[in-house]
Each structure stands twice: as C-alpha cells, then as structure tokens.
Amino acid sequence: DGGITQSPKYLFRKEGQNVTLSCEQNLNHDAMYWYRQDPGQGLRLIYYSQIVNDFQKGDIAEGYSVSREKKESFPLTVTSAQKNPTAFYLCASSHFWGNQETQYFGPGTRLLVL
Amino acid sequence: GQQVMQIPQYQHVQEGEDFTTYCNSSTTLSNIQWYKQRPGGHPVFLIQLVKSGEVKKQKRLTFQFGEAKKNSSLHITATQTTDVGTYFCAARGSARQLTFGSGTQLTVLP
C-alpha cells in the first residue's frame, strides 16, 4: 500500500495476445515480486527479483516473463502460452531479500480473457 | 515446494462473536506472517512471528506461533464489521521465499 502502483486496474486480453502489466515502486525497495490470485485461493508466486537485472522463477512461471531493468520497475508479460490467464495479479516489493522482510502490495490488476 | 494449510476456508460469524483461523506446515518454519485482504483490495501486512511459542496482540487480534514453529493462529475477539476480509498466513521455511496459505474468508453478520 502506498508507493506501489500497478496499471491498468482492469485488462482485457484476446486469445493469442501478449499483454504487459506494469508495476512501479518508489519505496527504494530492492526486491520485487509478482503473484497470481485466483478466486478462493491464496497467492501463488510467479517471479521475483532480488536486485536489478536479476530475477528468478517462482512456483508458476510458465507462460509469463519479466524484466528488471530499473530498481523501480518490474513489468510482467502474460504470454499467449499462458492458457488460463484470467486472474488477479498482485505486485509486491520488500526492502531486501532476507529472512524477516515484509512485503508491500500494490492495488493489483484484474486480467480477463475475451 | 513448501505447503501451508490454512483452515477454515470460510467463516461466518455474528458481530461480537470470536473468530480463529489456523495455519499448519509439515516442516519447521523460520517465521510466519499474517496479512489481511479486504474485499476487492490487496493484502496488507499485519504482523510477523519469529520465536517459538511467540504471542503478539494488536487490540482485538491475537497471533500465536506454535512451540514447534510448525503452526500459527490468528484469533479475533468480539468481531466487528470492519474485520470483514480474507486473512492469509505466509510462511517462510528454509527457502526464504514466502508461501501463502489459501486464506480464510471472514464474513461478519451485523
């Protein structure tokens, strides 16, 4: 909350189309994360980045790609290879990748496939 | 990967009643965090528990970490309509990344 922005709030994708979700933070946090949330379920980690120009796959990375060219930005691309992309996507950041870091979440983007 | 079980999935209570959600892991945890997500909103950090047997309180909320550091609970005393939302535990084992439970969706009936 506060300092993490995600856009757009709602996004519609056609079959076979790639879409990119934006995530920007001005908290000077080193680590950033992307989660997917489906109705009635918890958050599943897609990708995370501990530092600029480095990122790691999470539990459900297939069909997604990310980049981390700037500390403030961590965009997520949902590719056409992701067969069931309709979900609520949450970006988060934390001060450092450590044992007791807490995560701050953005407002999320709801992606719908037409 | 690490799995965290959270129960119940849903809980409806009358305003003023108590509420408890439980989180269980098969492996020993480094620490556990709790988040609250209001309907239509995003998760917000509530608290972190690190020590075995730790108990922390925030007004009407009481958080406990088990002695074996494999389970945790969140208890709300005398629920209010403002408590409505989904409560998630997020556990950290040896892998350092957080694993979220599936959440407990709390409905408070006025």
Side-chain angles (χ1 to χ4, degrees), chain A residues 19-44:
Chain A
V19 291
T20 297
L21 283 60
S22 168
C23 178
E24 303 278 332
Q25 55 98 1
N26 62 3
L27 301 170
N28 199 32
H29 284 172
D30 293 309
M32 297 186 75
Y33 314 81
W34 273 106
Y35 292 92
R36 169 181 172 140
Q37 185 176 32
D38 293 282
Q41 297 190 30
L43 284 66
R44 292 184 290 169

Side-chain angles (χ1 to χ4, degrees), chain A residues 1 3 23-24 35 38-39 45 48-50 53 57 67 71 73 75 82-84 89 92-94 100-101 104 111:
Chain A
D1 194 17
C23 178
E24 303 278 332
Y35 292 92
D38 293 282
L45 183 64
Y48 62 95
S49 169
Q50 301 174 47
N53 292 322
K57 292 182 179 180
S67 63
K71 188 176 185 178
S73 179
Q82 172 52 239
K83 298 307 178 187
N84 185 23
Y89 290 87
S93 69
S94 64
Q100 297 190 20
E101 46 83 17
Y104 296 84
L111 175 62

Side-chain angles (χ1 to χ4, degrees), chain A residues 27-104:
Chain A
L27 301 170
N28 199 32
H29 284 172
D30 293 309
M32 297 186 75
Y33 314 81
W34 273 106
Y35 292 92
R36 169 181 172 140
Q37 185 176 32
D38 293 282
Q41 297 190 30
L43 284 66
R44 292 184 290 169
L45 183 64
I46 305 172
Y47 268 97
Y48 62 95
S49 169
Q50 301 174 47
I51 197 168
V52 175
N53 292 322
D54 182 63
F55 49 82
Q56 306 294 330
K57 292 182 179 180
D59 299 321
I60 54 165
E62 185 175 351
Y64 301 97
S65 66
V66 294
S67 63
R68 186 85 188 276
E69 297 177 0
K70 299 187 298 182
K71 188 176 185 178
E72 304 80 20
S73 179
F74 191 40
L76 173 74
T77 297
V78 184
T79 74
S80 56
Q82 172 52 239
K83 298 307 178 187
N84 185 23
T86 296
F88 187 39
Y89 290 87
L90 288 156
C91 178
S93 69
S94 64
H95 186 56
F96 63 97
W97 174 257
N99 199 36
Q100 297 190 20
E101 46 83 17
T102 60
Q103 297 186 10
Y104 296 84

Side-chain angles (χ1 to χ4, degrees), chain B residues 42-90:
Chain B
H42 57 275
V44 174
F45 173 78
L46 293 176
I47 209 159
Q48 177 169 259
L49 304 170
V50 179
K51 300 176 183 177
S52 169
E54 189 169 15
V55 178
K56 288 188 176 180
K57 293 189 176 183
Q58 289 180 350
K59 297 183 180 178
R60 294 178 294 104
L61 279 60
T62 301
F63 304 84
Q64 294 189 349
F65 201 10
E67 293 289 343
K69 300 184 73 174
K70 290 186 176 182
N71 58 75
S72 181
S73 65
L74 158 59
H75 179 82
I76 303 178
T77 303
T79 54
Q80 300 174 359
T81 55
T82 54
D83 296 324
V84 164
T86 301
Y87 293 85
F88 293 98
C89 62

